Tab-separated table of all heavy atoms in Angstrom:
chain	number	residue	atom	x	y	z
A	1652	THR	N	47.796	-13.221	16.164
A	1652	THR	CA	49.047	-13.958	16.013
A	1652	THR	C	50.006	-13.204	15.115
A	1652	THR	O	51.192	-13.071	15.415
A	1652	THR	CB	48.778	-15.349	15.391
A	1652	THR	OG1	47.502	-15.777	15.814
A	1652	THR	CG2	49.822	-16.344	15.780
A	1653	VAL	N	49.457	-12.700	13.997
A	1653	VAL	CA	50.311	-11.963	13.072
A	1653	VAL	C	50.928	-10.769	13.773
A	1653	VAL	O	52.132	-10.523	13.691
A	1653	VAL	CB	49.506	-11.500	11.837
A	1653	VAL	CG1	50.360	-10.608	10.951
A	1653	VAL	CG2	49.007	-12.697	11.048
A	1654	LEU	N	50.092	-10.040	14.506
A	1654	LEU	CA	50.590	-8.852	15.199
A	1654	LEU	C	51.658	-9.217	16.220
A	1654	LEU	O	52.694	-8.567	16.342
A	1654	LEU	CB	49.423	-8.132	15.888
A	1654	LEU	CG	48.482	-7.372	14.943
A	1654	LEU	CD1	47.227	-6.948	15.665
A	1654	LEU	CD2	49.189	-6.172	14.338
A	1655	GLN	N	51.397	-10.292	16.918
A	1655	GLN	CA	52.340	-10.722	17.942
A	1655	GLN	C	53.684	-11.097	17.346
A	1655	GLN	O	54.736	-10.644	17.785
A	1655	GLN	CB	51.754	-11.926	18.686
A	1655	GLN	CG	52.328	-12.074	20.063
A	1655	GLN	CD	51.325	-12.798	20.955
A	1655	GLN	OE1	50.246	-13.165	20.518
A	1655	GLN	NE2	51.701	-13.002	22.201
A	1656	GLN	N	53.604	-11.920	16.287
A	1656	GLN	CA	54.840	-12.339	15.639
A	1656	GLN	C	55.628	-11.159	15.090
A	1656	GLN	O	56.841	-11.080	15.219
A	1656	GLN	CB	54.519	-13.316	14.503
A	1656	GLN	CG	54.182	-14.702	15.027
A	1656	GLN	CD	53.724	-15.621	13.920
A	1656	GLN	OE1	53.582	-15.198	12.784
A	1656	GLN	NE2	53.514	-16.877	14.263
A	1657	SER	N	54.881	-10.206	14.519
A	1657	SER	CA	55.574	-9.075	13.918
A	1657	SER	C	56.275	-8.248	14.979
A	1657	SER	O	57.380	-7.750	14.770
A	1657	SER	CB	54.601	-8.209	13.114
A	1657	SER	OG	53.576	-7.758	13.952
A	1658	SER	N	55.631	-8.126	16.148
A	1658	SER	CA	56.288	-7.328	17.179
A	1658	SER	C	57.529	-8.068	17.700
A	1658	SER	O	58.510	-7.449	18.084
A	1658	SER	CB	55.317	-7.010	18.310
A	1658	SER	OG	54.991	-8.192	18.997
A	1659	GLU	N	57.472	-9.402	17.674
A	1659	GLU	CA	58.651	-10.172	18.069
A	1659	GLU	C	59.792	-9.966	17.084
A	1659	GLU	O	60.962	-10.041	17.430
A	1659	GLU	CB	58.293	-11.666	18.151
A	1659	GLU	CG	57.588	-12.002	19.463
A	1659	GLU	CD	56.802	-13.307	19.365
A	1659	GLU	OE1	57.045	-14.080	18.401
A	1659	GLU	OE2	55.959	-13.539	20.238
A	1660	GLN	N	59.422	-9.708	15.817
A	1660	GLN	CA	60.457	-9.485	14.802
A	1660	GLN	C	60.798	-8.011	14.645
A	1660	GLN	O	61.198	-7.571	13.566
A	1660	GLN	CB	59.982	-10.048	13.466
A	1660	GLN	CG	59.927	-11.565	13.450
A	1660	GLN	CD	59.112	-12.075	12.283
A	1660	GLN	OE1	58.828	-11.321	11.351
A	1660	GLN	NE2	58.737	-13.332	12.328
A	1661	ASP	N	60.570	-7.218	15.667
A	1661	ASP	CA	60.905	-5.796	15.687
A	1661	ASP	C	60.117	-4.940	14.711
A	1661	ASP	O	60.571	-3.887	14.289
A	1661	ASP	CB	62.412	-5.583	15.431
A	1661	ASP	CG	63.217	-6.079	16.620
A	1661	ASP	OD1	62.603	-6.115	17.720
A	1661	ASP	OD2	64.387	-6.423	16.430
A	1662	TYR	N	58.948	-5.394	14.336
A	1662	TYR	CA	58.075	-4.540	13.555
A	1662	TYR	C	57.264	-3.693	14.510
A	1662	TYR	O	56.980	-4.110	15.632
A	1662	TYR	CB	57.106	-5.372	12.688
A	1662	TYR	CG	57.714	-5.839	11.386
A	1662	TYR	CD1	58.387	-7.057	11.298
A	1662	TYR	CD2	57.574	-5.058	10.237
A	1662	TYR	CE1	58.940	-7.483	10.116
A	1662	TYR	CE2	58.120	-5.485	9.034
A	1662	TYR	CZ	58.799	-6.698	8.978
A	1662	TYR	OH	59.313	-7.110	7.794
A	1663	ASN	N	56.899	-2.498	14.082
A	1663	ASN	CA	55.995	-1.687	14.895
A	1663	ASN	C	54.575	-1.864	14.376
A	1663	ASN	O	54.347	-1.865	13.164
A	1663	ASN	CB	56.337	-0.198	14.792
A	1663	ASN	CG	57.746	0.055	15.252
A	1663	ASN	OD1	58.189	-0.514	16.246
A	1663	ASN	ND2	58.454	0.881	14.489
A	1664	ALA	N	53.657	-1.990	15.332
A	1664	ALA	CA	52.260	-2.084	14.925
A	1664	ALA	C	51.550	-0.779	15.256
A	1664	ALA	O	51.748	-0.214	16.320
A	1664	ALA	CB	51.583	-3.244	15.641
A	1665	TYR	N	50.788	-0.284	14.302
A	1665	TYR	CA	50.041	0.957	14.532
A	1665	TYR	C	48.596	0.777	14.136
A	1665	TYR	O	48.257	-0.023	13.261
A	1665	TYR	CB	50.613	2.100	13.678
A	1665	TYR	CG	52.048	2.423	13.952
A	1665	TYR	CD1	53.031	2.119	13.016
A	1665	TYR	CD2	52.412	3.071	15.151
A	1665	TYR	CE1	54.350	2.420	13.252
A	1665	TYR	CE2	53.738	3.367	15.395
A	1665	TYR	CZ	54.712	3.051	14.440
A	1665	TYR	OH	56.007	3.348	14.685
A	1666	GLU	N	47.800	1.594	14.773
A	1666	GLU	CA	46.433	1.768	14.251
A	1666	GLU	C	46.394	3.144	13.644
A	1666	GLU	O	46.717	4.133	14.296
A	1666	GLU	CB	45.404	1.673	15.373
A	1666	GLU	CG	44.933	0.255	15.585
A	1666	GLU	CD	43.831	0.161	16.607
A	1666	GLU	OE1	43.274	1.197	16.988
A	1666	GLU	OE2	43.559	-0.967	17.016
A	1667	ILE	N	46.051	3.201	12.377
A	1667	ILE	CA	46.069	4.488	11.690
A	1667	ILE	C	44.640	4.880	11.310
A	1667	ILE	O	43.903	4.087	10.713
A	1667	ILE	CB	46.919	4.408	10.406
A	1667	ILE	CG1	48.303	3.871	10.762
A	1667	ILE	CG2	47.008	5.769	9.726
A	1667	ILE	CD1	49.167	3.574	9.574
A	1668	THR	N	44.280	6.079	11.704
A	1668	THR	CA	42.979	6.595	11.301
A	1668	THR	C	43.220	7.683	10.254
A	1668	THR	O	43.932	8.636	10.509
A	1668	THR	CB	42.224	7.195	12.490
A	1668	THR	OG1	42.158	6.206	13.501
A	1668	THR	CG2	40.830	7.622	12.088
A	1669	VAL	N	42.652	7.496	9.095
A	1669	VAL	CA	42.817	8.477	8.039
A	1669	VAL	C	41.489	9.189	7.848
A	1669	VAL	O	40.452	8.551	7.654
A	1669	VAL	CB	43.246	7.806	6.715
A	1669	VAL	CG1	43.443	8.855	5.627
A	1669	VAL	CG2	44.500	6.990	6.922
Side-chain angles (χ1 to χ4, degrees):
Chain A
T1652 328
V1653 174
L1654 286 168
Q1655 204 154 0
Q1656 284 174 355
S1657 58
S1658 68
E1659 280 160 16
Q1660 290 164 15
D1661 290 336
Y1662 277 90
N1663 301 318
Y1665 300 110
E1666 270 185 12
I1667 306 172
T1668 305
V1669 181

